[in-house]
Amino acid sequence: MLSQKTIDIVKSTAPILETHGVEITTYFYKTLFEAHPELLNVFNHANQSQGRQQTALANTVYAAAMYIDQLEVLLPTVKQIAQKHRSLTVKPEHYPIVGEYLLKAIKGVLGDAATDEIIGAWGEAYGVIAQVFIDIEKEMYAEAAEKSGGWEDFKEFIVEKKVTESSLITSFYLKAKDGVPVPWYLPGQYITIRLSIPGHQYLLNRQYSLSQTPGSDCFRISVKREADYNPQGKVSNYLHDRLNVGDTIEVSPPAGDFYLEKEEQPVALISGGVGITPMMAMLGSIAENEPNRKTVFIHAARNKDAHAFGKEAAALVEKLNDGKMYIAYEAKKDESEVCDITGYVSQAFLQQVVDPNSVCYVCGPVPFMRAVVSHLTALGFSENNVKYEFFGPALALEA
């Protein structure tokens, strides 16, 4: 247990960490990877280059400082991060390494302001926080391994089928190389794939939502080719261009805390772009297990060419006794493209088609989620009834 003096020191430094958080975490990752390049296998290099990982860690460190005497407040966030850690096989032996370089980063950025007393207090606090993660992740590893068909870390899977879903998205059907059927997962969860790409010294990993109803003998992931920004997605482009039927990749067990919950209340599945992937698993699960549940499926795409799973989603909605599907295209290429909205999903439209008693699941690019969550909040939906998923490190939705 931390002393009151340690708690006071850590909380008093929170404003400093809020101001210098990204600078500290950027320093941290740089020095960590220089000393331990093997840990590059664990991190998403694109998130590093875009600054997303640094920002997410800075937010977490700041929150830890603010609530060091009330860590139970952070438990939902801790569990979300722990899901990511488990899927990436972060282990207890990694935590002392991270702690060492985080403290060095605080000292390196703050200089003389980071006194021995402050560094000592943060060292104690980090030990407590790290143990919380270690304990939760131990339970998650055991749960993944003990499931029927489950395992603990990574194992080999073979690409059984590769299907083009749109101009941007391709699906990969993955079967375990040992022939064991895949474990049951919750609709909306993801897996981590790990592979070696020619020209890269270290293994690369990425997390992709499972895009079909649980219960199959294989996994399906549906990957968007990331080509809009520099650097372009190394893994997504490799998967699209180079990974073929019969090839082998490594996969960790399903993880994630964004998933469909079986409830009496109506449900709205609202997605943008590749955010449709977890929604397909959710929609399929509703069609199979809860066909009487009132459901609205809303999807926004750039245009018809970029619209994935159109026929599959429509077929699933047809199985529902009270289901509606609405499609939004940012811009039509021509008048032959049929959709319900041209432009963006508006607050007025959501008010018109979403039952006010619904639980809403939202997934897509951050600007899309920011807009939709803002609209739903303005319409009176409670925080508990608006659930959303980030692809990559979680960032604040506030502008």
Side-chain angles (χ1 to χ4, degrees):
M1 182 178 292
L2 297 174
S3 69
Q4 188 59 50
K5 181 179 179 181
T6 295
I7 291 170
D8 291 343
I9 291 172
V10 170
K11 294 190 79 168
S12 71
T13 60
I16 301 172
L17 292 174
E18 184 179 24
T19 302
H20 297 283
V22 173
E23 188 180 356
I24 290 169
T25 54
T26 300
Y27 186 110
F28 158 74
Y29 281 118
K30 180 178 183 295
T31 55
L32 173 69
F33 292 146
E34 286 175 351
H36 294 274
E38 72 278 4
L39 293 180
L40 285 164
N41 290 340
V42 175
F43 292 88
N44 182 316
H45 301 187
N47 288 332
Q48 289 287 321
S49 64
Q50 294 167 14
R52 295 188 66 188
Q53 195 80 50
Q54 294 89 328
T55 301
L57 178 59
N59 292 342
T60 302
V61 172
Y62 173 66
M66 290 293 294
Y67 295 102
I68 190 62
D69 55 344
Q70 304 174 64
L71 288 178
E72 65 276 7
V73 174
L74 301 179
L75 199 56
T77 300
V78 169
K79 287 183 175 179
Q80 182 185 52
I81 296 170
Q83 289 275 0
K84 300 277 188 184
H85 286 179
R86 201 279 294 152
S87 75
L88 294 165
T89 66
V90 172
K91 293 298 179 71
E93 57 265 27
H94 294 136
Y95 281 92
I97 300 171
V98 168
E100 176 187 351
Y101 285 89
L102 183 59
L103 294 178
K104 286 181 177 179
I106 293 173
K107 182 66 176 177
V109 171
L110 299 184
D112 292 340
T115 63
D116 290 345
E117 187 176 52
I118 289 174
I119 294 298
W122 262 99
E124 289 183 50
Y126 175 82
V128 170
I129 296 166
Q131 194 59 52
V132 172
F133 276 100
I134 290 168
D135 291 343
I136 290 174
E137 287 158 17
K138 181 179 179 181
E139 294 177 4
M140 290 179 175
Y141 278 111
E143 181 183 3
E146 290 166 5
K147 279 186 177 181
S148 177
W151 68 100
E152 183 170 311
D153 294 336
F154 282 91
K155 79 172 186 177
E156 291 186 326
F157 275 67
I158 295 173
V159 180
E160 183 186 45
K161 187 165 56 171
K162 182 176 179 179
V163 178
T164 299
E165 306 288 0
S166 75
S167 62
L168 297 172
I169 296 173
T170 294
S171 289
F172 300 84
Y173 292 74
L174 309 174
K175 270 198 170 182
K177 193 172 183 178
D178 61 12
V180 176
V182 299
W184 186 266
Y185 55 88
L186 297 168
Q189 290 190 304
Y190 57 82
I191 57 173
T192 298
I193 68 166
R194 185 169 71 180
L195 70 166
S196 175
I197 293 180
H200 292 273
Q201 183 179 358
Y202 302 102
L203 293 170
L204 298 176
N205 61 67
R206 293 294 185 273
Q207 293 163 331
Y208 294 110
S209 296
L210 293 159
S211 61
Q212 68 179 359
T213 312
S216 172
D217 63 348
C218 67
F219 291 139
R220 182 179 77 175
I221 58 172
S222 303
V223 180
K224 177 192 173 190
R225 181 192 292 275
E226 296 293 349
D228 293 339
Y229 306 101
N230 285 317
Q232 295 185 354
K234 293 172 185 167
V235 174
S236 69
N237 281 275
Y238 179 85
L239 296 179
H240 275 251
D241 297 334
R242 304 286 296 278
L243 190 71
N244 296 310
V245 172
D247 289 346
T248 299
I249 60 173
E250 292 181 297
V251 175
S252 70
D257 62 351
F258 177 76
Y259 54 82
L260 179 73
E261 297 179 14
K262 290 186 177 181
E263 301 179 47
E264 295 285 334
Q265 68 195 104
V267 63
L269 307 177
I270 309 170
S271 60
V274 76
I276 195 173
T277 52
M279 303 306 185
M280 291 303 298
M282 293 185 188
L283 181 61
S285 181
I286 295 168
E288 186 173 307
N289 303 303
E290 304 175 279
N292 293 321
R293 189 174 185 183
K294 186 176 182 180
T295 302
V296 172
F297 184 88
I298 302 170
H299 179 61
R302 295 180 185 179
N303 49 50
K304 184 177 179 181
D305 289 346
H307 179 189
F309 303 114
K311 291 182 179 179
E312 183 177 332
L316 291 171
V317 171
E318 280 294 315
K319 294 181 179 181
L320 304 178
N321 295 321
D322 191 359
K324 300 287 185 183
M325 182 169 75
Y326 301 95
I327 302 301
Y329 290 154
E330 185 176 336
K332 293 182 180 181
K333 284 189 172 183
D334 56 61
E335 289 306 311
S336 67
E337 295 192 356
V338 178
C339 60
D340 301 286
I341 310 166
T342 302
Y344 298 109
V345 175
S346 67
Q347 181 175 318
F349 178 77
L350 292 173
Q351 184 175 29
Q352 178 184 348
V353 304
V354 177
D355 187 305
N357 297 310
S358 296
V359 56
C360 303
Y361 295 85
V362 185
C363 189
V366 171
F368 172 86
M369 291 199 297
R370 182 178 291 128
V372 170
V373 171
S374 176
H375 295 333
L376 293 171
T377 301
L379 291 172
F381 285 86
S382 70
E383 183 178 343
N384 289 336
N385 282 339
V386 180
K387 306 173 188 293
Y388 50 87
E389 172 79 323
F390 286 94
F391 289 155
L395 302 170
L397 279 185
E398 292 80 6

